[in-house]
Amino acid sequence: MTDTTLAGTPADTRAHGVSLTDAAAAKVKSLLEQEGRDDLRLRVAVQPGGCSGLIYQLYFDERYLEGDETVDFDGVEVIVDNMSVPYLDGATIDFKDTISEQGFTIDNPNASGSCACGDSFH
């Protein structure tokens, strides 16, 4: 369902505007295999909090909630609730595994500023 563009960034994000890079999709698949479950999806959301006003949430969820928007990235289902869609439209989730940085990152063009630790934004 996704088309891959330069640098492995998926181009097709019709439902919610969030994209998942190939590296992030591979890491999510690996984590799901470790869990031994095939009924989980990656939920991405924003909630009030943090030092900048909003915090990102990334977690596995087995539920579909009313108003959820879903996109499948090569077997990895990414769900965004309808309240979070405007804050995340155009965001890209990546996974970095280098000597200086490891973990999921979110590049969000809607964030006008963030805190020093990068966990919250406004």
Side-chain angles (χ1 to χ4, degrees), residues 24-89:
K27 183 61 177 181
V28 171
K29 282 182 183 180
S30 171
L31 292 170
L32 288 173
E33 287 171 7
Q34 288 176 20
E35 290 289 321
R37 296 183 57 183
D38 60 2
D39 63 332
L40 297 175
R41 294 141 200 94
L42 181 65
R43 183 173 290 277
V44 185
V46 296
Q47 287 195 331
C51 53
S52 292
L54 295 170
I55 56 173
Y56 295 112
Q57 290 195 318
L58 283 165
Y59 59 96
F60 292 125
D61 198 349
E62 60 192 18
R63 306 166 298 151
Y64 283 109
L65 304 174
E66 186 175 336
D68 281 348
E69 299 288 345
T70 303
V71 175
D72 185 275
F73 293 93
D74 193 27
V76 174
E77 215 172 344
V78 176
I79 299 175
V80 179
D81 66 89
N82 61 356
M83 299 293 275
S84 297
V85 168
Y87 298 104
L88 294 170
D89 187 27

